[in-house]
Amino acid sequence: LAPQRNNGCAPACWYRLRVQLPPHHAPLAFHLEAPQGVSEVYVDGRRAGDFRFLPWWLEREPSGHVVEIPGENEAVVLAIRVHVPTVADDAFDATKLRASIGSPKAAQWEADLFREDRLLDFVPSGGVNLAIFIAGAGALLLFFTQRGRREYLWLGLYLVLLGSSFEMLSASTAAIVPGIANDLYADPAIYLFVVAQVEFTYAFIGRRLNRAWRVYEGLLLLSVVGAVLCATRIVTNDVYFFFESAVTLPAAIALPVVLLYWSRRGNHEARWLIVPSLFPAVGVVFTNLPQFAGPLGWDISTLTRPLYVWGDVRLYGYDLADTIFLLAIGVVMFIRFSRLAREQARTSAEMSAARAIQRQLVPAALPQLPG
């Protein structure tokens, strides 16, 4: 069974393959790559394996399974029944199936290799996004200890939403968590962390948002509905990816421009954020670019090719962009925090000196003067 595109069948599709086997063959088995929760497998009319239909909130991306072929028949019929998932993951296509046949040991090797490959895809991204989430929690903790510093609040919310959103995307793509984690959380969270990024940028440079930015934030919040419409397949993936890119692109372009403008106006805080603000935009581009390249016929294999950082462990472009962003924003916040701490210490020392001088100039009790 070669990978097949969705042919529009509803509510279910059948795929059948008759395999001619050599006489007196050794024990054989199928290795199947099929979505979890939306497929059933039959061998010679009998249900096989642990494939079964599950509730929509348990549907997952394809994973590798081994189905043994009973007996010594000279032919076997493999039949797979697939229904379209209720909630459509970004990378989820229920009718993408792959099957191979060999010895049970070889089939198990294939299944193990498939699972290992998915895990190797997840580990670098999962580690990066976990670090981003932890950094966001640290920023929120800093906000509660540094009352009045709104930039720590928005930075914390931004990093927590960014890290958890891409963590759910990576985990659902690797079939670690159900696809609903991406559809109903990771995608909507994109618009929320863009709002937090805008708020953090302006709080960091000490400026107030104008009306245009407020309208844009309202549009981002309303765009959460678009993610839900895509998840329920009311809006197609292609339309949604274009919409998502169009809505998030203004912040990716405008925020570095705003920071450059205020930096040239003498705002030294803005200067620190110009370079770090570019990397989230790069991450979004690397995430959405493959969705446009296929329909447009673009060959972007060199751009989306992963970096092998340790053996077979792969690091993709968006993971690298997020890693650089986390390091850059960490350096910026450390420098800012150190500078503010020095300023507070200097101010405290000046106030202490002023109080000492005042105690010398102003007597503790009013003197009694004659007349």
Side-chain angles (χ1 to χ4, degrees), residues 305-326:
R305 186 178 301 155
L307 301 174
Y308 288 86
V309 293
W310 182 39
D312 290 332
V313 177
R314 298 178 288 273
L315 188 68
Y316 289 89
Y318 48 83
D319 296 323
L320 186 60
D322 288 344
T323 302
I324 297 174
F325 164 73
L326 180 61

Side-chain angles (χ1 to χ4, degrees), residues 29-31 65-67 100-112:
F30 284 111
H31 166 241
H65 297 265
V66 176
V67 176
S100 56
I101 189 171
S103 68
K105 189 174 183 179
Q108 187 61 55
W109 281 347
E110 286 285 338
D112 293 341

Side-chain angles (χ1 to χ4, degrees), residues 19-29 69-76 101-102:
V19 181
Q20 189 68 37
L21 304 175
H24 310 295
H25 60 80
L28 295 172
I69 299 175
E72 297 184 358
N73 299 340
E74 294 186 0
V76 63
I101 189 171

Side-chain angles (χ1 to χ4, degrees), residues 15-352:
Y15 294 97
R16 290 182 177 86
L17 180 67
R18 187 177 188 276
V19 181
Q20 189 68 37
L21 304 175
H24 310 295
H25 60 80
L28 295 172
F30 284 111
H31 166 241
L32 299 176
E33 297 172 13
Q36 303 178 64
V38 295
S39 53
E40 291 180 335
V41 176
Y42 296 85
V43 176
D44 286 339
R46 295 182 179 179
R47 187 169 171 176
D50 55 356
F51 291 93
R52 64 186 186 278
F53 293 133
L54 296 174
W56 59 272
W57 58 87
L58 296 178
E59 297 169 357
R60 301 192 184 203
E61 288 276 353
S63 60
H65 297 265
V66 176
V67 176
E68 294 188 4
I69 299 175
E72 297 184 358
N73 299 340
E74 294 186 0
V76 63
V77 176
L78 172 67
I80 303 178
R81 183 188 180 204
V82 179
H83 75 69
V84 179
T86 306
V87 177
D89 195 341
D90 288 345
F92 200 110
D93 192 341
T95 54
K96 282 186 177 178
L97 310 169
R98 187 181 297 276
S100 56
I101 189 171
S103 68
K105 189 174 183 179
Q108 187 61 55
W109 281 347
E110 286 285 338
D112 293 341
L113 285 172
F114 183 79
R115 282 192 285 268
E116 180 181 321
D117 188 69
R118 302 296 289 271
L119 185 61
L120 289 176
D121 263 345
F122 169 75
V123 167
S125 181
V128 168
N129 291 307
L130 179 60
I132 291 175
F133 181 88
I134 293 174
L140 289 176
L141 182 61
L142 195 59
F143 166 73
F144 289 113
T145 58
Q146 298 282 327
R147 292 289 183 178
R149 310 303 307 188
R150 292 176 57 251
E151 62 269 29
Y152 294 131
L153 169 65
W154 290 113
L155 176 63
L157 291 175
Y158 172 55
L159 294 178
V160 165
L161 289 168
L162 176 68
S164 59
S165 173
F166 280 94
E167 188 83 349
M168 287 299 102
L169 170 62
S170 301
S172 64
T173 302
I176 296 174
V177 299
I180 190 176
N182 176 68
D183 300 320
L184 298 184
Y185 176 75
D187 271 355
I190 290 174
Y191 307 105
L192 302 181
F193 73 61
V194 174
V195 171
Q197 183 187 10
V198 173
E199 291 284 349
F200 162 69
T201 301
Y202 272 79
F204 188 86
I205 64 177
R207 308 298 303 181
R208 294 178 62 86
L209 289 171
N210 57 32
R211 183 174 299 177
W213 279 110
R214 292 298 184 192
V215 171
Y216 177 63
E217 287 184 341
L219 175 62
L220 287 169
L221 295 176
L222 289 176
S223 299
V224 172
V225 178
V228 176
L229 294 178
C230 177
T232 53
R233 302 200 334 269
I234 297 175
V235 175
T236 64
N237 278 353
D238 293 339
V239 172
Y240 174 71
F241 281 123
F242 179 81
F243 170 78
E244 180 185 278
S245 300
V247 171
T248 56
L249 191 60
I253 296 175
L255 286 179
V257 173
V258 167
L259 290 170
L260 181 61
Y261 170 79
W262 285 110
S263 174
R264 295 178 66 87
R265 294 285 299 269
N267 190 317
H268 298 291
E269 303 286 354
R271 187 178 307 164
W272 288 103
L273 272 188
I274 294 175
V275 175
S277 67
L278 296 173
F279 290 104
V282 173
V284 172
V285 169
F286 271 104
T287 302
N288 288 340
L289 193 58
Q291 311 299 333
F292 293 100
L296 295 175
W298 296 347
D299 182 11
I300 59 168
S301 56
T302 51
L303 292 176
T304 58
R305 186 178 301 155
L307 301 174
Y308 288 86
V309 293
W310 182 39
D312 290 332
V313 177
R314 298 178 288 273
L315 188 68
Y316 289 89
Y318 48 83
D319 296 323
L320 186 60
D322 288 344
T323 302
I324 297 174
F325 164 73
L326 180 61
L327 294 175
I329 201 68
V331 170
V332 168
M333 294 307 294
F334 176 77
I335 293 174
R336 177 186 173 86
F337 182 79
S338 299
R339 183 174 59 78
L340 290 177
R342 288 195 301 269
E343 290 179 357
Q344 289 176 356
R346 186 172 61 252
T347 302
S348 178
E350 290 174 353
M351 292 297 293
S352 298

